[in-house]
Amino acid sequence: MRVIYYFSGTGNSLSVAKDIADILPNTDLVRIDLTKLQKRVSIESYEQIGIVFPVYSYHIPKLVVEFLKTLQFNSNQYVFGIATCGAVAGEALKDLRNLIRGQGGELAAEFKMNLPGNCIIEYTAYPNIIQKRLIQKQEISVNKIIEAVKHNKKTLKINASLFARIFSKTAEKRYQSYSETAKHFCLTNGCTQCSTCQKVCPANNIMIHNGSPSWGENCEACMACIQWCPVNAIQYGKKTIARKRYHHPKVTLGQMYS
């Protein structure tokens, strides 16, 4: 038996995790969200454990970090990590390596996969041709990961590039400020009160009052709310008004919170 835990805001990491789980039998697919963090989770029965997550400013999303701290690994388990990112993985896989070791296990295999970036508060969606190219490459990368997992293959460590090391202080400052992201989200008059934003939020940080959303102070900056809004009614100040939205084309809205 194996389990794949994933954290996903716009479907990239979910798509990768699902692709693997669809091919490898006896695989449980589990979303990492605040609800999981509040429960006691046992992984003792699993022989293989995968963690799939996006890279945020060269690091692991904070909710994933807190979730991993609740798990207890053992040295006999094959643990693999997959970092999805728009550019570089930075310190993320090193962080994961240290977290797993601190919880009694060892990260046997490390993988990085480039997929379309989704941080709309910093940039618009990638051009369609680039999105298509990256998603086509996803299948090749997933097949390689599946072969490695099938045979409990160990991989080389993936450490930060020179570029990531140079800009690590800037990235760390941005990473620490992500919890405040929701302060800048706002609604336009186009909101249809569908509550999609609340459903997709992994941090339970969105409340619905009189049919309209409001944001709390525990934002994960995953961009799920703004990217999945079906009518583009959520904005980040004035920055995102003209920016195109993105979510993985092979992931449905229902899969994001099921």
Short mmCIF file of all heavy atoms in Angstrom, two decimals, residues 5-44:
data_model
loop_
_atom_site.label_atom_id
_atom_site.label_comp_id
_atom_site.label_asym_id
_atom_site.label_seq_id
_atom_site.Cartn_x
_atom_site.Cartn_y
_atom_site.Cartn_z
N TYR A 5 0.19 12.22 -0.56
CA TYR A 5 -0.38 13.44 -0.01
C TYR A 5 -0.05 14.59 -0.96
O TYR A 5 1.08 14.69 -1.44
CB TYR A 5 0.20 13.74 1.37
CG TYR A 5 -0.19 12.75 2.43
CD1 TYR A 5 0.73 11.83 2.93
CD2 TYR A 5 -1.48 12.72 2.95
CE1 TYR A 5 0.37 10.91 3.91
CE2 TYR A 5 -1.85 11.80 3.91
CZ TYR A 5 -0.92 10.90 4.39
OH TYR A 5 -1.29 10.00 5.36
N TYR A 6 -1.02 15.43 -1.23
CA TYR A 6 -0.77 16.54 -2.15
C TYR A 6 -1.39 17.83 -1.61
O TYR A 6 -2.40 17.82 -0.91
CB TYR A 6 -1.33 16.24 -3.54
CG TYR A 6 -2.84 16.24 -3.60
CD1 TYR A 6 -3.56 17.41 -3.86
CD2 TYR A 6 -3.56 15.08 -3.35
CE1 TYR A 6 -4.95 17.41 -3.88
CE2 TYR A 6 -4.96 15.08 -3.36
CZ TYR A 6 -5.64 16.24 -3.63
OH TYR A 6 -7.00 16.25 -3.63
N PHE A 7 -0.74 18.92 -1.95
CA PHE A 7 -1.28 20.26 -1.68
C PHE A 7 -1.37 20.96 -3.02
O PHE A 7 -0.40 20.97 -3.79
CB PHE A 7 -0.36 21.03 -0.73
CG PHE A 7 -0.85 22.43 -0.43
CD1 PHE A 7 -1.70 22.66 0.64
CD2 PHE A 7 -0.44 23.51 -1.20
CE1 PHE A 7 -2.16 23.94 0.92
CE2 PHE A 7 -0.88 24.79 -0.93
CZ PHE A 7 -1.74 25.01 0.14
N SER A 8 -2.54 21.53 -3.31
CA SER A 8 -2.71 22.12 -4.64
C SER A 8 -3.70 23.26 -4.59
O SER A 8 -4.79 23.13 -4.03
CB SER A 8 -3.20 21.04 -5.62
OG SER A 8 -3.09 21.47 -6.96
N GLY A 9 -3.32 24.40 -5.20
CA GLY A 9 -4.21 25.54 -5.26
C GLY A 9 -4.92 25.66 -6.59
O GLY A 9 -6.11 25.98 -6.65
N THR A 10 -4.20 25.38 -7.67
CA THR A 10 -4.81 25.51 -8.99
C THR A 10 -4.71 24.24 -9.82
O THR A 10 -4.94 24.26 -11.02
CB THR A 10 -4.18 26.69 -9.78
OG1 THR A 10 -2.76 26.55 -9.79
CG2 THR A 10 -4.55 28.01 -9.14
N GLY A 11 -4.37 23.13 -9.17
CA GLY A 11 -4.47 21.83 -9.82
C GLY A 11 -3.19 21.23 -10.33
O GLY A 11 -3.17 20.05 -10.71
N ASN A 12 -2.07 21.97 -10.35
CA ASN A 12 -0.82 21.40 -10.86
C ASN A 12 -0.39 20.18 -10.07
O ASN A 12 -0.18 19.09 -10.63
CB ASN A 12 0.29 22.45 -10.84
CG ASN A 12 0.16 23.47 -11.95
OD1 ASN A 12 -0.59 23.27 -12.91
ND2 ASN A 12 0.89 24.57 -11.85
N SER A 13 -0.23 20.34 -8.77
CA SER A 13 0.24 19.24 -7.94
C SER A 13 -0.80 18.12 -7.86
O SER A 13 -0.45 16.93 -7.82
CB SER A 13 0.59 19.74 -6.54
OG SER A 13 1.71 20.60 -6.60
N LEU A 14 -2.07 18.48 -7.84
CA LEU A 14 -3.12 17.46 -7.84
C LEU A 14 -3.06 16.63 -9.11
O LEU A 14 -3.18 15.40 -9.07
CB LEU A 14 -4.50 18.12 -7.72
CG LEU A 14 -5.71 17.21 -7.97
CD1 LEU A 14 -5.69 15.98 -7.08
CD2 LEU A 14 -7.01 17.99 -7.79
N SER A 15 -2.85 17.28 -10.24
CA SER A 15 -2.79 16.56 -11.51
C SER A 15 -1.65 15.55 -11.51
O SER A 15 -1.81 14.41 -11.95
CB SER A 15 -2.60 17.56 -12.66
OG SER A 15 -2.45 16.89 -13.88
N VAL A 16 -0.49 15.96 -11.01
CA VAL A 16 0.66 15.06 -10.95
C VAL A 16 0.37 13.89 -10.02
O VAL A 16 0.61 12.72 -10.36
CB VAL A 16 1.92 15.82 -10.49
CG1 VAL A 16 3.08 14.85 -10.24
CG2 VAL A 16 2.31 16.87 -11.52
N ALA A 17 -0.14 14.18 -8.84
CA ALA A 17 -0.45 13.14 -7.86
C ALA A 17 -1.49 12.17 -8.42
O ALA A 17 -1.37 10.94 -8.26
CB ALA A 17 -0.96 13.76 -6.56
N LYS A 18 -2.50 12.70 -9.08
CA LYS A 18 -3.56 11.87 -9.63
C LYS A 18 -3.03 10.99 -10.77
O LYS A 18 -3.42 9.82 -10.88
CB LYS A 18 -4.70 12.75 -10.12
CG LYS A 18 -5.96 11.99 -10.54
CD LYS A 18 -7.08 12.94 -10.91
CE LYS A 18 -8.35 12.19 -11.27
NZ LYS A 18 -8.15 11.26 -12.40
N ASP A 19 -2.18 11.54 -11.62
CA ASP A 19 -1.60 10.76 -12.72
C ASP A 19 -0.85 9.54 -12.18
O ASP A 19 -0.93 8.44 -12.75
CB ASP A 19 -0.64 11.62 -13.53
CG ASP A 19 -1.35 12.57 -14.48
OD1 ASP A 19 -2.58 12.45 -14.63
OD2 ASP A 19 -0.68 13.45 -15.05
N ILE A 20 -0.13 9.73 -11.08
CA ILE A 20 0.62 8.62 -10.49
C ILE A 20 -0.33 7.61 -9.86
O ILE A 20 -0.20 6.40 -10.06
CB ILE A 20 1.63 9.15 -9.44
CG1 ILE A 20 2.65 10.07 -10.12
CG2 ILE A 20 2.33 7.99 -8.73
CD1 ILE A 20 3.53 10.82 -9.15
N ALA A 21 -1.29 8.11 -9.10
CA ALA A 21 -2.23 7.23 -8.41
C ALA A 21 -3.09 6.43 -9.39
O ALA A 21 -3.49 5.30 -9.10
CB ALA A 21 -3.13 8.05 -7.48
N ASP A 22 -3.37 6.99 -10.56
CA ASP A 22 -4.18 6.30 -11.56
C ASP A 22 -3.44 5.10 -12.16
O ASP A 22 -4.07 4.15 -12.63
CB ASP A 22 -4.58 7.26 -12.69
CG ASP A 22 -5.67 8.23 -12.28
OD1 ASP A 22 -6.31 8.00 -11.23
OD2 ASP A 22 -5.87 9.23 -12.99
N ILE A 23 -2.12 5.15 -12.16
CA ILE A 23 -1.32 4.07 -12.75
C ILE A 23 -0.88 3.04 -11.71
O ILE A 23 -0.92 1.82 -11.97
CB ILE A 23 -0.07 4.65 -13.45
CG1 ILE A 23 -0.49 5.56 -14.61
CG2 ILE A 23 0.84 3.53 -13.95
CD1 ILE A 23 -1.25 4.87 -15.72
N LEU A 24 -0.49 3.51 -10.55
CA LEU A 24 0.01 2.60 -9.52
C LEU A 24 -1.16 2.08 -8.68
O LEU A 24 -1.89 2.87 -8.08
CB LEU A 24 1.02 3.30 -8.62
CG LEU A 24 2.34 3.71 -9.31
CD1 LEU A 24 3.23 4.45 -8.32
CD2 LEU A 24 3.07 2.50 -9.88
N PRO A 25 -1.36 0.77 -8.60
CA PRO A 25 -2.49 0.21 -7.83
C PRO A 25 -2.29 0.40 -6.33
O PRO A 25 -1.19 0.65 -5.86
CB PRO A 25 -2.47 -1.27 -8.21
CG PRO A 25 -1.03 -1.54 -8.57
CD PRO A 25 -0.53 -0.28 -9.22
N ASN A 26 -3.39 0.27 -5.61
CA ASN A 26 -3.36 0.34 -4.13
C ASN A 26 -2.74 1.65 -3.63
O ASN A 26 -1.91 1.64 -2.72
CB ASN A 26 -2.59 -0.85 -3.56
CG ASN A 26 -3.21 -2.17 -3.97
OD1 ASN A 26 -4.42 -2.34 -3.94
ND2 ASN A 26 -2.36 -3.12 -4.37
N THR A 27 -3.14 2.74 -4.26
CA THR A 27 -2.61 4.05 -3.87
C THR A 27 -3.74 4.94 -3.36
O THR A 27 -4.71 5.19 -4.07
CB THR A 27 -1.92 4.75 -5.06
OG1 THR A 27 -0.84 3.94 -5.54
CG2 THR A 27 -1.38 6.11 -4.65
N ASP A 28 -3.61 5.42 -2.14
CA ASP A 28 -4.56 6.37 -1.59
C ASP A 28 -4.10 7.79 -1.94
O ASP A 28 -2.91 8.10 -1.83
CB ASP A 28 -4.65 6.24 -0.07
CG ASP A 28 -5.28 4.92 0.36
OD1 ASP A 28 -6.06 4.36 -0.41
OD2 ASP A 28 -4.96 4.45 1.47
N LEU A 29 -5.03 8.61 -2.37
CA LEU A 29 -4.73 9.99 -2.74
C LEU A 29 -5.40 10.90 -1.71
O LEU A 29 -6.61 10.88 -1.55
CB LEU A 29 -5.27 10.27 -4.14
CG LEU A 29 -4.80 11.53 -4.86
CD1 LEU A 29 -3.30 11.54 -5.03
CD2 LEU A 29 -5.50 11.65 -6.21
N VAL A 30 -4.58 11.70 -1.01
CA VAL A 30 -5.11 12.48 0.12
C VAL A 30 -4.69 13.95 0.00
O VAL A 30 -3.50 14.26 -0.11
CB VAL A 30 -4.61 11.91 1.46
CG1 VAL A 30 -5.20 12.71 2.62
CG2 VAL A 30 -4.97 10.44 1.59
N ARG A 31 -5.68 14.82 0.04
CA ARG A 31 -5.43 16.27 -0.01
C ARG A 31 -4.93 16.77 1.34
O ARG A 31 -5.46 16.41 2.38
CB ARG A 31 -6.72 16.99 -0.38
CG ARG A 31 -6.60 18.51 -0.48
CD ARG A 31 -7.99 19.13 -0.50
NE ARG A 31 -7.95 20.55 -0.84
CZ ARG A 31 -8.87 21.42 -0.49
NH1 ARG A 31 -9.93 21.02 0.22
NH2 ARG A 31 -8.78 22.69 -0.82
N ILE A 32 -3.91 17.61 1.32
CA ILE A 32 -3.44 18.27 2.53
C ILE A 32 -4.20 19.57 2.69
O ILE A 32 -4.13 20.46 1.84
CB ILE A 32 -1.93 18.56 2.47
CG1 ILE A 32 -1.12 17.26 2.34
CG2 ILE A 32 -1.48 19.34 3.70
CD1 ILE A 32 0.36 17.48 2.11
N ASP A 33 -4.96 19.68 3.77
CA ASP A 33 -5.68 20.91 4.05
C ASP A 33 -5.78 21.08 5.57
O ASP A 33 -5.27 20.25 6.33
CB ASP A 33 -7.07 20.93 3.40
CG ASP A 33 -7.91 19.72 3.79
OD1 ASP A 33 -7.69 19.16 4.87
OD2 ASP A 33 -8.81 19.34 3.01
N LEU A 34 -6.42 22.13 6.00
CA LEU A 34 -6.48 22.42 7.44
C LEU A 34 -7.21 21.31 8.19
O LEU A 34 -6.85 20.99 9.33
CB LEU A 34 -7.17 23.76 7.67
CG LEU A 34 -7.14 24.26 9.12
CD1 LEU A 34 -5.71 24.54 9.56
CD2 LEU A 34 -7.99 25.52 9.27
N THR A 35 -8.20 20.70 7.56
CA THR A 35 -8.94 19.62 8.21
C THR A 35 -8.02 18.45 8.55
O THR A 35 -8.09 17.88 9.65
CB THR A 35 -10.08 19.12 7.30
OG1 THR A 35 -10.94 20.23 6.99
CG2 THR A 35 -10.89 18.04 7.98
N LYS A 36 -7.13 18.09 7.61
CA LYS A 36 -6.18 17.00 7.86
C LYS A 36 -5.21 17.36 8.98
O LYS A 36 -4.82 16.53 9.79
CB LYS A 36 -5.39 16.69 6.59
CG LYS A 36 -6.23 16.24 5.42
CD LYS A 36 -6.90 14.92 5.66
CE LYS A 36 -7.60 14.43 4.40
NZ LYS A 36 -8.54 15.39 3.80
N LEU A 37 -4.85 18.63 9.02
CA LEU A 37 -3.91 19.09 10.04
C LEU A 37 -4.49 18.96 11.44
O LEU A 37 -3.78 18.73 12.41
CB LEU A 37 -3.53 20.55 9.76
CG LEU A 37 -2.46 21.19 10.65
CD1 LEU A 37 -1.15 20.44 10.53
CD2 LEU A 37 -2.26 22.65 10.26
N GLN A 38 -5.80 19.07 11.54
CA GLN A 38 -6.47 19.03 12.84
C GLN A 38 -6.78 17.61 13.31
O GLN A 38 -7.26 17.41 14.41
CB GLN A 38 -7.76 19.86 12.76
CG GLN A 38 -7.50 21.36 12.56
CD GLN A 38 -8.75 22.14 12.24
OE1 GLN A 38 -9.74 21.58 11.77
NE2 GLN A 38 -8.71 23.44 12.47
N LYS A 39 -6.49 16.63 12.46
CA LYS A 39 -6.74 15.23 12.82
C LYS A 39 -5.42 14.49 13.02
O LYS A 39 -4.40 14.87 12.46
CB LYS A 39 -7.55 14.53 11.72
CG LYS A 39 -8.96 15.07 11.53
CD LYS A 39 -9.67 14.32 10.42
CE LYS A 39 -11.08 14.83 10.21
NZ LYS A 39 -11.78 14.12 9.10
N ARG A 40 -5.47 13.42 13.78
CA ARG A 40 -4.30 12.58 13.95
C ARG A 40 -4.25 11.59 12.79
O ARG A 40 -5.17 10.80 12.59
CB ARG A 40 -4.35 11.83 15.29
CG ARG A 40 -3.14 10.95 15.54
CD ARG A 40 -3.21 10.30 16.92
NE ARG A 40 -2.10 9.41 17.16
CZ ARG A 40 -0.89 9.80 17.53
NH1 ARG A 40 -0.65 11.08 17.72
NH2 ARG A 40 0.08 8.93 17.72
N VAL A 41 -3.18 11.64 12.00
CA VAL A 41 -3.06 10.79 10.82
C VAL A 41 -1.96 9.75 11.04
O VAL A 41 -0.84 10.09 11.43
CB VAL A 41 -2.72 11.64 9.57
CG1 VAL A 41 -2.51 10.74 8.36
CG2 VAL A 41 -3.81 12.66 9.31
N SER A 42 -2.29 8.49 10.81
CA SER A 42 -1.30 7.42 10.95
C SER A 42 -0.86 6.95 9.57
O SER A 42 -1.69 6.71 8.69
CB SER A 42 -1.90 6.24 11.73
OG SER A 42 -0.99 5.15 11.73
N ILE A 43 0.45 6.81 9.37
CA ILE A 43 0.99 6.33 8.09
C ILE A 43 1.73 5.01 8.28
O ILE A 43 2.44 4.55 7.39
CB ILE A 43 1.93 7.38 7.46
CG1 ILE A 43 3.05 7.75 8.44
CG2 ILE A 43 1.15 8.61 7.04
CD1 ILE A 43 4.10 8.66 7.84
N GLU A 44 1.52 4.39 9.43
CA GLU A 44 2.24 3.17 9.78
C GLU A 44 2.01 2.03 8.78
O GLU A 44 2.91 1.23 8.52
CB GLU A 44 1.82 2.72 11.19
CG GLU A 44 2.59 1.53 11.72
CD GLU A 44 2.15 1.17 13.13
OE1 GLU A 44 1.37 1.93 13.73
OE2 GLU A 44 2.59 0.11 13.62
#
